[in-house]
Amino acid sequence: MAGPGNPSGDAEYHPLVGEELLNAMFYGLNVGVYVMSTEARILVVNPCGADLIGRPPQEIVGADSHALLHRDADGSVGPRSECPLLAALAAGRQTRTKEAWFERGDGSLMRVGWLMAPYETDGEPGGAVVTFFDFSGRQEEIQRREAHMVALERLADRLSLVAEVTTVLTSTLDVHEALRRLVRLVVPRLADWAVVDLLGPDDEVLRVSVVHHANDTHGNVIELEGKLPAPVSWESKSPLQRVLRGGSAAIVGPESYAGRPDSPIEEVQRNLFRSTGIHSGIMAPLRGSRGVLGALTLGRADQEQSFDPDELALVDDIARRAGLAVDNAQLFDRQRRISETMQRHLLTPLPRVEGLGMAARYLPAPRGSQVGGDWYDAFVLPDGAVMLVIGDVIGHDLQAAASMSQVRNMLRAFVWDRREPPSLIVDRLDNSLVHISDAPMASLVLGRLEGGDGMPYQLHWTNAGHPPPLLITQEGDAHFLEAGLGVLLGTEMAIERVDALVPLRPGSTLVLYTDGLVEAPDLAMETGLARLRRHAAELAGRPLGELCDQLLQRLEPEGSEDDIALLVVRVP
């Protein structure tokens, strides 16, 4: 039954009173407690406090608390006048702090937080009770957490840097542009100097980039760039040559070149470290699918801290990614040169015909292989007529270029085989493509230009599904030649093709083009044709080369993924 002595009524209740309560509150607490007099002498200490202080109670009781315990962070005993605990004791006010130091019995320092509460005896100040906590372990845990956070932040920063490096390296296929972006990303985040060396033919070494960051500015030190003096020696122990031979990345410094140089390149490297003031550097190989392509060197001159093993691993990873980017860019550049050579052979030079002006341009697809299915052609027949061709085989890659070459050569053969209207020639070509060519569908305009020697010029043509030629008079009137239109090549449709004939007034300009000039994903053909007619009329009196360049500059559709062929002819 519940009552004043048994509040719950569930179990027998025994309240703590008198000395029993004092013992529980003072000696049973799991924190340090001592009581001191108004003169700061310790009157009593609880067991937990004695354990924390690291002295037996008999050494503590009676001692001056300031002399025994209170210390500055460096372990020295501060002036009593500056002790916050003594000041609070003298003022008789309660106070607490988390930033104090007690000296243990073994002389070590213990970081403590304490709470002091004054007490009275018979209405007079009697002293104070000090409760203190050991914060040393907590501080160590805080430091561990802070160190862990710093490590995580460094890791996140490095992962971010690697991601940025990957992005900039994959955003271009130009070797020098990729390396330029790379060094400006890692300098000054990792170093204040960056040097890039590439291996060339016969193991020659070309120093393509030396960048220094100072005063918030990147600068190329051109006088340190260029071809290094001698091929890589397989016997040299120079750090750079070791890396270029396939050695692993390494931390280097001026001491790496303290001895007598064993090669001209090592002499250059020693001068590099002297002139730049680099005290710590990392050299890492640029590796590609074909082996080592060069080396990346990062150096610290203005930054005091030396490179550490973690940074070595990071730079090695960056150099590996850079090596793959350089490898891809070099392969692309080699393919581009091959493609350009192929394109020059596929697009033959224009003939020189007295009285006639001719000009042509070819613009490859932006994402293609620098070649495609568009082509132009012009050649003179034995009877003096000039054959004009503009065509487009579906596609804008090497396969399209190869197919285009087949169509062009077959067309030339049919034109030379016999004299007949353009429509019959194109019809024979169309009937042959399915059987003796791999070419898919194609469009073209085949025209026979006749005249000269006092005779007026005229164009006899047929159109196999191609955008219509544009005729511009000397006065600037422009209109499309929409007659003679038939179906594409390769459809296998039995439709009779037709011819068209138009006289060309003196000074007229004929513009033949492929659809890449007037059509794009966001540009309708009708809009592109209208733009072509307007700009061509404005440029009617310009020289033909300038006319071609201006048309390409003004009309090349934004976002176009097609190649462009352009052929212009002007009669006298």
Side-chain angles (χ1 to χ4, degrees):
M1 180 174 181
N6 187 7
S8 67
D10 296 330
E12 188 174 359
Y13 176 67
H14 296 284
L16 296 176
V17 296
E19 185 176 349
E20 186 179 1
L21 176 61
L22 176 63
N23 288 335
M25 292 180 64
F26 187 78
Y27 293 101
L29 290 177
N30 193 28
V31 294
V33 181
Y34 67 83
V35 180
M36 62 180 179
S37 68
T38 54
E39 292 81 21
R41 292 199 173 272
I42 298 175
L43 304 177
V44 64
V45 63
N46 74 338
C48 181
D51 288 342
L52 290 175
I53 294 172
R55 294 176 183 272
Q58 57 268 27
E59 290 186 12
I60 300 174
V61 174
D64 179 83
S65 62
H66 181 75
L68 181 70
L69 300 177
H70 305 167
R71 298 292 182 268
D72 291 336
D74 60 359
S76 62
V77 180
R80 298 180 71 87
S81 60
E82 297 179 6
C83 177
L85 193 148
L86 295 185
L89 175 66
R93 68 175 183 270
Q94 180 174 309
T95 186
R96 65 188 177 92
T97 182
K98 292 184 178 179
E99 192 67 37
W101 299 90
F102 282 2
E103 182 180 281
R104 291 190 175 98
D106 60 3
S108 64
L109 293 180
M110 173 176 59
R111 183 171 181 167
V112 297
W114 50 257
L115 172 66
M116 191 207 77
Y119 67 90
E120 295 180 352
T121 302
D122 297 328
E124 298 293 331
V129 178
V130 178
T131 304
F132 61 96
F133 311 85
D134 181 3
F135 279 171
S136 299
R138 295 188 182 183
Q139 184 63 24
E140 291 174 1
E141 177 63 23
I142 292 173
Q143 291 175 348
R144 283 195 297 270
R145 290 182 180 180
E146 290 177 348
H148 183 61
M149 289 302 298
V150 170
L152 288 178
E153 289 173 359
R154 291 185 65 188
L155 177 60
D157 184 62
R158 292 179 179 183
L159 291 175
S160 174
L161 177 59
V162 170
E164 291 179 53
V165 166
T166 303
T167 299
V168 301
L169 290 175
T170 55
S171 62
T172 179
L173 285 172
D174 181 275
V175 173
H176 295 284
E177 176 62 19
L179 294 175
R180 186 191 70 81
R181 296 180 186 180
L182 170 65
V183 297
R184 277 163 173 74
L185 189 59
V186 298
V187 173
R189 291 175 68 172
L190 292 178
D192 39 67
W193 284 90
V195 181
V196 179
D197 300 303
L198 293 181
L199 282 172
D202 301 322
D203 286 339
E204 68 179 13
V205 182
L206 184 64
R207 182 149 287 168
V208 298
S209 181
V210 179
V211 173
H212 180 219
H213 185 272
N215 301 320
D216 296 326
T217 303
H218 292 91
N220 279 80
V221 186
I222 299 176
E223 58 270 22
L224 297 179
E225 299 176 352
K227 184 179 178 181
L228 297 190
V232 176
S233 169
W234 289 95
E235 291 77 23
S236 174
K237 297 180 180 179
S238 166
L240 175 61
Q241 290 160 280
R242 182 182 56 79
V243 166
L244 291 174
R245 291 197 304 267
S248 57
I251 297 176
V252 296
E255 66 279 1
S256 305
Y257 298 94
R260 183 177 180 180
D262 62 1
S263 70
I265 287 184
E266 187 175 4
E267 178 70 25
V268 170
Q269 287 296 97
R270 183 166 66 175
N271 293 336
L272 172 70
F273 276 75
R274 286 177 177 174
S275 62
T276 60
I278 294 175
H279 64 83
S280 180
I282 291 179
M283 287 184 184
L286 301 175
R287 301 181 188 273
S289 60
R290 297 166 290 129
V292 176
L293 306 175
L296 170 66
T297 301
L298 298 185
R300 290 175 176 172
D302 303 327
Q303 301 179 22
E304 296 182 1
Q305 186 177 359
S306 297
F307 284 106
D308 58 36
D310 288 342
E311 291 169 320
L312 174 64
L314 173 64
V315 175
D316 191 29
D317 184 34
I318 290 173
R320 179 179 59 83
R321 296 168 188 268
L324 293 174
V326 169
D327 195 19
N328 290 336
Q330 288 181 342
L331 290 173
F332 176 80
D333 187 61
R334 185 177 297 110
Q335 180 184 10
R336 180 182 56 80
R337 291 196 301 270
I338 294 172
S339 299
E340 289 175 348
T341 301
M342 177 181 178
Q343 190 68 48
R344 283 195 296 270
H345 285 86
L346 292 177
L347 301 175
T348 54
L350 298 176
R352 293 182 179 272
V353 181
E354 184 177 355
L356 285 181
M358 291 192 199
R361 296 290 187 270
Y362 177 80
L363 194 65
R367 295 187 178 88
S369 305
Q370 302 297 312
V371 292
D374 292 16
W375 91 97
Y376 60 82
D377 199 2
F379 51 94
V380 181
L381 296 177
D383 61 5
V386 179
M387 299 303 297
L388 304 174
V389 185
I390 192 79
D392 182 2
V393 174
I394 292 177
H396 42 82
D397 51 19
L398 287 172
Q399 180 59 47
S403 298
M404 176 269 285
S405 178
Q406 292 179 330
V407 175
R408 187 202 65 163
N409 292 336
M410 291 172 62
L411 179 60
R412 277 194 162 206
F414 287 142
V415 170
W416 275 89
D417 180 55
R418 68 191 72 169
R419 179 172 178 173
E420 56 187 0
S423 61
L424 295 182
I425 296 174
V426 172
D427 195 50
R428 286 201 293 142
L429 174 66
D430 191 11
N431 292 332
S432 303
L433 283 179
V434 178
H435 305 289
I436 59 177
S437 170
D438 295 328
M441 290 190 294
S443 68
L444 64 82
V445 171
L446 175 64
R448 178 183 175 92
L449 182 61
E450 300 173 305
D453 295 331
M455 300 294 294
Y457 282 90
Q458 64 177 13
L459 178 68
H460 188 188
W461 84 95
T462 191
N463 186 334
H466 199 80
L470 179 65
L471 183 62
I472 315 167
T473 66
Q474 191 173 13
E475 296 75 25
D477 295 328
H479 66 280
F480 290 104
L481 304 180
E482 297 179 343
L485 183 62
V487 298
L488 292 166
L489 301 178
T491 62
E492 299 187 58
M493 297 175 62
I495 298 178
E496 183 179 357
R497 297 186 183 276
V498 296
D499 293 284
L501 181 69
V502 64
L504 303 181
R505 294 169 56 185
S508 297
T509 301
L510 181 68
V511 180
L512 304 173
Y513 56 94
T514 55
D515 59 359
L517 185 65
V518 294
E519 190 176 29
D522 296 328
L523 180 67
M525 174 76 78
E526 293 76 10
T527 303
L529 290 173
R531 294 174 66 227
L532 171 60
R533 180 168 56 188
R534 183 176 72 255
H535 288 291
E538 294 174 359
L539 299 167
R542 303 289 181 89
L544 294 184
E546 182 181 348
L547 173 63
C548 289
D549 294 336
Q550 284 292 321
L551 285 179
L552 289 176
Q553 180 178 336
R554 298 185 185 188
L555 296 175
E556 183 185 3
E558 184 176 352
S560 174
E561 297 183 355
D562 202 358
D563 44 350
I564 299 172
L566 180 63
L567 174 64
V568 296
V569 181
R570 180 172 292 163
V571 300

